[in-house]
Amino acid sequence: LWHLSFLGASSQEPLIAHLMQQLAITLNILQADIELIRDVTMGTMITEVVGSPENVQAGMKFLQTKGVHVEVI
């Protein structure tokens, strides 16, 4: 499972779609929430992640380069 935290612009990008299409990772969204606080969009998501270990690692690095905090839970 991944706990993802988005802030600002990263919450508006189709990052999950990119992971699924480009890296052949399947993400099952178990819980998600997006809020606007002081004109800043913030979001959290808990996902089940399925894919090869190499692709899962690449997906985690991709999200981090986009400013998403990724925590394995």
Side-chain angles (χ1 to χ4, degrees), residues 37-53:
I37 299 174
R38 294 188 182 176
D39 297 325
V40 177
T41 304
M42 300 173 61
T44 60
M45 185 179 296
I46 297 177
T47 64
E48 177 183 21
V49 184
V50 179
S52 72

Side-chain angles (χ1 to χ4, degrees), residues 17-69:
H18 174 84
L19 293 177
M20 296 180 77
Q21 293 171 354
Q22 301 299 318
L23 296 174
I25 296 173
T26 300
L27 291 164
N28 181 22
I29 299 171
L30 303 174
Q31 187 272 333
D33 183 47
I34 295 179
E35 297 183 35
L36 185 64
I37 299 174
R38 294 188 182 176
D39 297 325
V40 177
T41 304
M42 300 173 61
T44 60
M45 185 179 296
I46 297 177
T47 64
E48 177 183 21
V49 184
V50 179
S52 72
E54 297 83 17
N55 287 359
V56 169
Q57 187 67 26
M60 185 180 297
K61 287 181 181 179
F62 169 76
L63 290 174
Q64 291 168 338
T65 64
K66 293 294 188 173
V68 177
H69 175 75

